[in-house]
Amino acid sequence: MDADELLKRYCAGERNFPQVSLHLVNLSEVCLTGINLNRANLTNATLSQSNLCQANLIEANLTAAVLWRTDFSEANMILANLKAANLIRATLRKVDLHKGSLVKADLRLADLRYANLSGANLAGADLRYANLSGANLSGTNLSSANLTGANLSNTYLSHTNLAKAILYKTDLSYVDFTEVDLTGVDLRYCLLNGVTLTERSLIEAG
């Protein structure tokens, strides 16, 4: 299926496109709210500045997709593959990315407020100046991620892996660091309002 056919059918009222192959397709600046792209192949697709609010992208493959400024608000993206995707300035507010893969994804300045990233893999992801306030990061792998200037205030970090992550001028206000892996992390330049660090956490953080 190409972009023209999908848009024609969408405009006619069709919303269900499960397992559709849209490899390399260009769907920039289009409105696809509520679309069902469950298990769709969107590898290397371009969806910049498109509206996919409340879309079903469960197990969709968005590897290396260009998603600059794309709006995924309240989308269901459980187990979605976003490895190496360009999500600069993307809106992922209240998205369900439980167990999603965002390894080495570019999430600079992305809006991830109140997103569910529990069990997700963001190893090596670029999250500079991203807003993750109120997000669920329980069991999330953020090892070696760059969180410079990011807002993680009021996030849920139970059993999160932050080993070797870059935390420079990161807002960690009102975060509970119980059972968080801080191996090799420097917290000296972070904002830690309302935070109590245990002796064990301080030892791990070095």
Side-chain angles (χ1 to χ4, degrees):
M1 182 182 296
D2 60 18
D4 290 338
E5 182 183 352
L6 182 138
L7 291 172
K8 182 178 179 180
R9 289 165 62 175
Y10 181 89
C11 290
E14 189 173 347
R15 293 293 181 270
N16 293 316
F17 301 91
Q19 301 183 56
V20 67
S21 180
L22 294 165
H23 174 62
L24 288 170
V25 76
N26 189 339
L27 286 165
S28 297
E29 300 181 41
V30 298
C31 181
L32 297 169
T33 58
I35 194 170
N36 178 11
L37 292 168
N38 179 32
R39 298 188 181 183
N41 178 9
L42 290 152
T43 55
N44 297 106
T46 300
L47 292 144
S48 295
Q49 301 187 80
S50 290
N51 186 343
L52 282 92
C53 293
Q54 299 180 335
N56 178 355
L57 289 155
I58 296 174
E59 294 188 68
N61 188 352
L62 290 141
T63 301
V66 181
L67 306 167
W68 177 74
R69 286 188 181 272
T70 305
D71 191 347
F72 291 105
S73 298
E74 299 183 22
N76 190 340
M77 303 176 79
I78 294 172
L79 292 166
N81 186 351
L82 291 144
K83 291 179 181 177
N86 178 349
L87 287 148
I88 297 172
R89 292 187 181 273
T91 299
L92 296 143
R93 190 165 51 249
K94 295 185 179 179
V95 162
D96 192 345
L97 266 163
H98 175 61
K99 290 190 176 180
S101 178
L102 294 106
V103 175
K104 295 185 178 180
D106 193 339
L107 289 145
R108 283 175 290 168
L109 298 159
D111 183 355
L112 290 145
R113 285 176 291 172
Y114 303 104
N116 180 9
L117 292 159
S118 59
N121 188 357
L122 286 99
D126 191 343
L127 288 146
R128 282 177 287 173
Y129 303 99
N131 190 347
L132 295 102
S133 179
N136 182 357
L137 299 170
S138 175
T140 303
N141 181 8
L142 285 160
S143 60
S144 300
N146 189 340
L147 289 151
T148 298
N151 183 358
L152 274 73
S153 61
N154 295 292
T155 54
Y156 187 61
L157 287 177
S158 175
H159 297 92
T160 301
N161 181 3
L162 281 164
K164 297 181 180 180
I166 300 171
L167 299 172
Y168 179 71
K169 294 187 177 179
T170 307
D171 188 348
L172 296 163
S173 299
Y174 307 104
V175 168
D176 184 355
F177 282 100
T178 305
E179 301 300 329
V180 175
D181 187 347
L182 293 166
T183 305
V185 172
D186 187 349
L187 295 171
R188 288 178 297 174
Y189 303 102
C190 295
L191 187 62
L192 296 163
N193 293 330
V195 172
T196 300
L197 288 168
T198 64
E199 185 177 347
R200 177 184 171 186
S201 295
L202 289 169
I203 291 171
E204 288 178 347

